[in-house]
Amino acid sequence: GFTVKDSYTTGQDGTVTVTGDPGLYRIEETTAPGGYQKDEAVRYVVLTGGLDVTVTGLPKDTGFINPAENIVVANRKTVSITVTKTVEGYAGETYTGSASFTFTLFDQEGDQVGSAQPARNGETVTFSGLTQGATYRLAEAPASGFALESVTADGTAVTPDGSGRYSIIMPETGANVTVSAVNRLLEARVTILKADSDTLEPLTGATFEVVRKEDGAPAAGASYTSNDDGEYTFTIPLSG
């Protein structure tokens, strides 16, 4: 087997000189520069001290390199996913609340990538340090009273898998991916007119209570407003 002999760090010109006693060496990159993927290739080189040698016994395609040649280790840039949260109000109204939605990213093995990140309406979150060509799965924990209506990646609709996660494939070109996640506020509204039964003149000052049909209990979060025309508008939160 191989034992670690030494470690080297490339300089400003991106190069490093490896020295050692004559023998067979395995060279691996242990840490990539910031913003780049670590090169996973394993390379073998023989330091001969100027002698002609023949190397046998190495597995096929092990990456043996002539020591007279430069060893080139090419790193690919890491990429990112930026998620923009949009919340739509009732019937196209502008949503002005502050509900927060939490995004979590997972890799192909189901392991969480980085930290879960919250976002409110109009905010963005970014998952960086990702691998080109890899598939990731995005999950959202919606706030109560909202439904996740759509998710698009670079403008293309993405459908959830059986676990409710959205698969996002990173391009091989080094491009980042922009995701849009749209939620809708879940509520129902109804307006009634309170009027005199004989004259139909509007009546004000009435009070109401909204209750659930199944058990007669007050509907949580329900409210109403009224005006001088005898109109009472009820807003009733719904569940997703």
Side-chain angles (χ1 to χ4, degrees), residues 19 22 30 42 45 69 82 127 178 203 206 209:
T19 61
T30 55
V42 175
V45 64
E69 300 174 359
T82 297
F127 297 92
T178 300
L203 298 177
E209 182 180 39

Side-chain angles (χ1 to χ4, degrees), residues 37-233:
Q37 300 170 205
K38 184 170 75 74
D39 181 75
E40 300 294 343
V42 175
R43 298 167 176 85
Y44 294 87
V45 64
V46 172
L47 300 183
T48 68
L51 300 177
D52 292 330
V53 297
T54 300
V55 178
T56 61
L58 288 179
K60 185 178 180 181
D61 298 327
T62 55
F64 177 72
I65 298 173
N66 185 333
E69 300 174 359
N70 289 330
I71 300 174
V72 179
V73 179
N75 296 88
R76 305 176 79 185
K77 286 186 176 181
T78 57
V79 287
S80 64
I81 295 173
T82 297
V83 185
T84 300
K85 167 54 58 190
T86 300
V87 182
E88 297 180 349
Y90 176 83
E93 294 180 356
T94 299
Y95 174 74
T96 58
S98 60
S100 182
F101 306 79
T102 301
F103 293 98
T104 308
L105 192 67
F106 300 88
D107 61 19
Q108 287 180 288
E109 286 70 42
D111 296 325
Q112 183 173 324
V113 178
S115 303
Q117 301 191 51
R120 293 181 171 85
N121 183 36
E123 295 181 344
T124 63
V125 298
T126 298
F127 297 92
S128 56
L130 307 182
T131 302
Q132 296 183 35
T135 298
Y136 295 90
R137 291 177 173 83
L138 181 69
E140 179 192 278
S144 177
F146 295 83
L148 180 57
E149 283 210 329
S150 66
V151 173
T152 59
D154 287 340
T156 301
V158 183
T159 56
D161 60 19
S163 63
R165 297 174 181 177
Y166 295 79
S167 293
I168 300 172
I169 301 175
M170 306 307 296
E172 295 276 5
T173 61
N176 300 319
V177 173
T178 300
V179 173
S180 173
V182 180
N183 291 74
R184 181 174 296 279
L185 174 65
L186 296 175
E187 66 178 26
R189 293 187 190 177
V190 60
T191 299
I192 65 173
L193 175 64
K194 185 70 174 175
D196 182 286
S197 61
D198 296 321
T199 65
L200 298 183
E201 288 293 319
L203 298 177
T204 60
T207 60
F208 296 89
E209 182 180 39
V210 180
V211 299
R212 298 198 304 254
K213 178 181 178 181
E214 59 270 22
D215 57 10
S223 61
Y224 67 90
T225 59
S226 62
N227 59 28
D228 292 338
D229 295 326
E231 294 179 337
Y232 295 77
T233 299

